[in-house]
Amino acid sequence: MWFKRMTIEKESPEELGYENIKYNLSESSIADLRYEDLNFTFDNLTIFYGDHSGKKELREIIAKEHYNMDANQVLITNGACAALFIIHSTLLMPGDHILVVKPNYATNIEVPRSLGITTNLLNLTFENNFDVDIEELRSRITPETKLISITYPHNPTGVMISEDKLNKIIEIAEEHNCYLVVDETYRDLTLGEKLPTAASLSSKVISVESLSKAYGLPGIRMGWLATQDSNLKEAFLATKEQISICNSVFDEEIAYHVFKNREKFLESTREDNLLKFNIVKEWMEEQKYLEWVEPKGGVICFPRIKLDIDIDTNEFYKVLFEKYGTLVGAGRWFEMSDRHFRIGYAWPTVEQLKGGLDSIIKTIEELKKN
């Protein structure tokens, strides 16, 4: 099989070159940590094949603090994207059916497509506040449906789902004997009360998380999946062993150090994230060209250029980047209209964030035809 490169990767800041971006509002995480921020060393680390499921002490903390489960029900992976690949390639065969909410993190859609899976999209709309229509979801389930895939806090909008609605989706999965995958990568960045971890609610649910977004550690490629079904976890482990056998022991040591001190790391970012969110919220209230569904989690939002504004969106992104050095996540990254764009507000400094937001308004004012 051939995988195609996703637009979100081809147009990513690492591909364009960070040195070419003045105001980077495209990042979907907090600011990246430096090794010196971690305050520990690898001096006593043996560079060996690690536990194939992942460092046991790391799995124990994740299992206990997130799921009230056993460490053997957690599999550490090479980032959340590897967890998603393992899930899809283990559970699905060509001819199977998967129902995925859209917009979404691109991997949740592109991987099953590339594996020959019938990938049915449940479109979330701006007009409905990017909320899931439970009855529509229920009506889209077929006898071939093996998997339902959702992500909350949602990427790219930052919207949340109620606990009641999450439980209804779980009930649908149980009723139809299919699995529910919940990408919970932004869970630790929920602005209000956090949902329970989905895998703790049913044996038909698989949770996926990572340390990339909330902890500023995308470079160590550490994520995990969790399931109450030990036989299913063993099947996922077999798939992982065909890909990488185990993880980098260096990466796992960093992940373990950060996660066992997670409250300290999260506390240091919450105040900064709230400050920057309020800057974006105030900016949205003051400008007149954009509309949004206000996010309730994550460090991202997904505004839309108002429909009555006549503008060439191709020119918008070109001028925004080439003239003002500002990069945002174009709607096409998520198979959406380019009137939408994702803003990541936690990664840049306050000054960079304000500069990028100002550039967006300047670009619209220069290009709008009415």
Side-chain angles (χ1 to χ4, degrees), residues 88-153:
H88 291 131
S89 58
T90 302
L91 291 179
L92 303 172
M93 297 285 290
D96 286 342
H97 174 266
I98 178 174
L99 185 60
V100 189
V101 298
K102 171 181 172 280
N104 209 318
Y105 175 52
T107 293
N108 282 311
I109 297 174
E110 190 55 40
V111 168
R113 274 182 182 162
S114 298
L115 293 172
I117 310 305
T118 301
T119 305
N120 205 338
L121 303 177
L122 184 68
N123 291 310
L124 310 181
T125 66
F126 182 93
E127 288 71 23
N128 196 37
N129 296 316
F130 296 108
D131 196 14
V132 174
D133 184 322
I134 293 295
E135 292 311 310
E136 181 185 2
L137 186 152
R138 189 190 306 275
S139 71
R140 301 278 290 280
I141 303 293
T142 75
E144 289 74 39
T145 302
K146 298 295 191 297
L147 204 65
I148 303 168
S149 179
I150 62 177
T151 170
Y152 287 100

Side-chain angles (χ1 to χ4, degrees), residues 139-173:
S139 71
R140 301 278 290 280
I141 303 293
T142 75
E144 289 74 39
T145 302
K146 298 295 191 297
L147 204 65
I148 303 168
S149 179
I150 62 177
T151 170
Y152 287 100
H154 184 250
N155 185 3
T157 68
V159 302
M160 281 295 292
I161 191 172
S162 68
E163 186 172 348
D164 177 65
K165 190 161 282 192
L166 174 61
N167 284 323
K168 286 179 180 177
I169 298 175
I170 292 173
E171 288 173 6
I172 292 171

Side-chain angles (χ1 to χ4, degrees), residues 50-98:
D51 186 320
H52 292 193
S53 289
K55 183 179 176 71
K56 185 177 181 181
E57 293 85 351
L58 174 59
R59 288 187 287 116
E60 286 174 340
I61 295 177
I62 292 171
K64 179 181 178 181
E65 295 194 6
H66 269 46
Y67 308 103
N68 194 26
M69 286 161 43
D70 186 88
N72 291 327
Q73 295 167 310
V74 173
L75 179 66
I76 308 298
T77 61
N78 187 26
C81 59
L84 294 168
F85 188 92
I86 288 168
I87 291 166
H88 291 131
S89 58
T90 302
L91 291 179
L92 303 172
M93 297 285 290
D96 286 342
H97 174 266
I98 178 174

Side-chain angles (χ1 to χ4, degrees), residues 9-21 26 321 326-328 333:
E9 304 300 351
K10 291 191 287 186
E11 297 181 0
S12 65
E14 55 269 26
E15 288 293 293
L16 295 175
Y18 286 98
E19 69 280 3
N20 298 317
I21 307 169
S26 71
F321 181 66
T326 299
L327 184 67
V328 295
W333 288 13

